[in-house]
Amino acid sequence: VLVDPNQYKRVYVPIVSVGEVSGMIYLNNDDSVKGLGRITIQIIDDQGKTVVETLSESDGYFSYLGLKPGNYTMQVDPDQLGKLEYQSKPLQQKIVVKSSAEGDIVDGLNFVITKIND
């Protein structure tokens, strides 16, 4: 953009509206349910490619801002669950990020983690 004195110029800036997903990871013990931190959540696109991974906060909350409109599958990292000897319910959650001028928000995506019984 060249600057000329006393002139207005229109500058076109491409903007892509993105979506946000959020939810909670809960640890279900026999006697209590509480949020679980440092759990990896994977967001996978239609082609089965992992788009992004994010970690839950210390209280179990997670969020990610930056998903393009489309269909995604969310899951707790199965490798991490195996190492910790936990299982997730549900295993996966399908979400749709809609195209809109303000961006889409998909929330209430909760996963409950329990210890695998031997």
Side-chain angles (χ1 to χ4, degrees):
V1 176
L2 298 175
V3 179
D4 295 321
N6 300 320
Q7 291 185 6
Y8 291 104
K9 293 187 179 182
R10 188 177 302 244
V11 178
Y12 293 98
V13 178
I15 297 174
V16 176
S17 295
V18 293
E20 178 180 5
V21 294
S22 64
M24 291 287 294
I25 303 291
Y26 294 105
L27 176 61
N28 185 6
N29 288 329
D30 293 333
D31 55 348
S32 67
V33 176
K34 64 176 186 169
L36 184 61
R38 303 212 33 92
I39 299 296
T40 304
I41 299 94
Q42 298 175 333
I43 303 174
I44 302 164
D45 65 11
D46 278 344
Q47 288 75 36
K49 179 182 169 226
T50 301
V51 176
V52 71
E53 291 183 343
T54 187
L55 283 176
S56 61
E57 300 291 333
S58 60
D59 63 353
Y61 179 77
F62 69 88
S63 70
Y64 180 76
L65 173 64
L67 290 176
K68 295 179 182 176
N71 299 319
Y72 297 93
T73 302
M74 296 187 61
Q75 67 181 14
V76 177
D77 182 8
D79 293 334
Q80 184 181 28
L81 287 174
K83 289 177 187 174
L84 296 172
E85 297 182 357
Y86 286 151
Q87 60 188 357
S88 171
K89 218 174 209 179
L91 293 175
Q92 298 180 331
Q93 292 193 39
K94 303 235 183 248
I95 60 167
V96 177
V97 176
K98 298 175 186 162
S99 179
S100 72
E102 297 84 24
D104 192 18
I105 298 174
V106 181
D107 58 359
L109 302 167
N110 299 330
F111 293 91
V112 178
I113 308 293
T114 56
K115 190 80 169 156
I116 296 175
N117 295 331
D118 294 320

